Amino acid sequence: MKKLALILSLLASCSASCSVWAQGNIEAGKAKSQTCVACHGADGNSLLTIYPKLAGQHAKYTEKQLKDLKLGMESAGKQGRYDPVMSAMAMPLTEQDMADLAAYYASLPISPNTTPESVVDAGKVLYTAGDAERGLTACIACHGPRGNGTELSGFPKISGQHADYIKAQLQKFRESSRGNDMNAMMRDIAKKLTDDDINTLSQYVGGLH
């Protein structure tokens, strides 16, 4: 219940705080995205499943991640989000660069994905209901019935994402090696997930869209 109250308060207050973000330019972002193609694909849909699809992701979320990745490098991993490759890539980016890239990728359609039949039943229970006995909050509370998240709240779109990438991020949240989630919500949730839970959810969200 406390988690849900926190989520609602974040939704209520976000519209004011979001106004400080730079306005992104899609065409400028397209020109600046050439260095991103090798890992994330020419259309923002990475072919290597360890790298996330950026296409269709909320601009504010992508922008925040780039800022956090840069901060991770500047603080030697003590703040923000640190990744040895992406933090280095984010270092030379200005705030306008980040806004432009985020706007460009948000304008692109995400490629189709599916949910394996073997995880549909278990995945639906975890995603829509969580597990009250373990105090596990349902994913639907933040990411919505189709996994689309919301732009203003800062909750990312996860539907259609690569299972391998989702799995890796859940594991990082569980071990707290990734800590740039709002109010540690994802870390609190991930700590209650078993390996089987993570495998199921990472595959389940692929076909939500």
Side-chain angles (χ1 to χ4, degrees):
M1 186 62 70
K2 290 182 180 179
K3 281 292 182 204
L4 291 175
L6 177 58
I7 290 166
L8 291 173
S9 67
L10 286 169
L11 288 169
S13 63
C14 186
S15 57
S17 62
C18 285
S19 62
V20 303
W21 295 81
Q23 185 68 37
N25 181 281
I26 292 174
E27 288 304 314
K30 182 177 182 180
K32 296 171 182 178
S33 72
Q34 295 309 302
T35 56
C36 313
V37 168
C39 293
H40 298 288
D43 61 353
N45 290 291
S46 55
L47 297 178
L48 297 174
T49 59
I50 60 171
Y51 300 125
K53 297 180 184 182
L54 302 181
Q57 185 57 266
H58 302 304
K60 298 306 181 204
Y61 180 79
T62 299
E63 193 175 347
K64 179 183 184 298
Q65 298 312 302
L66 289 171
K67 289 182 177 182
D68 286 353
L69 286 161
K70 183 173 182 176
L71 179 59
M73 178 65 80
E74 293 172 337
S75 66
K78 294 178 181 178
Q79 299 179 62
R81 175 183 178 184
Y82 179 75
D83 178 270
V85 175
M86 274 306 306
S87 290
M89 295 293 289
M91 273 300 293
L93 298 178
T94 66
E95 290 198 1
Q96 189 61 55
D97 292 336
M98 295 177 189
D100 292 342
L101 286 166
Y104 170 62
Y105 282 116
S107 74
L108 301 174
I110 191 170
S111 60
N113 204 346
T114 59
T115 296
E117 287 293 329
S118 59
V119 303
V120 168
D121 292 340
K124 184 176 182 179
V125 172
L126 282 172
Y127 188 88
T128 62
D131 188 328
E133 290 187 2
R134 288 187 282 162
L136 183 60
T137 304
C139 311
I140 197 173
C142 296
H143 297 287
R146 294 297 176 191
N148 290 319
T150 54
E151 175 84 5
L152 288 178
S153 68
F155 300 130
K157 177 183 176 71
I158 56 175
S159 64
Q161 191 56 263
H162 292 307
D164 287 341
Y165 178 74
I166 294 288
K167 179 180 179 179
Q169 299 314 300
L170 289 174
Q171 290 173 333
K172 288 179 180 180
F173 280 128
R174 186 173 65 179
E175 64 192 26
S176 293
S177 60
R178 176 177 172 180
N180 70 325
D181 49 324
M182 290 186 293
N183 296 286
M185 285 191 292
M186 279 305 305
R187 279 170 283 175
D188 287 347
I189 292 169
K191 286 174 183 177
K192 299 169 185 174
L193 295 174
T194 65
D195 287 343
D196 285 343
D197 292 337
I198 288 177
N199 286 331
T200 296
L201 285 170
S202 61
Q203 296 179 72
Y204 179 74
V205 299
L208 279 176
H209 62 102

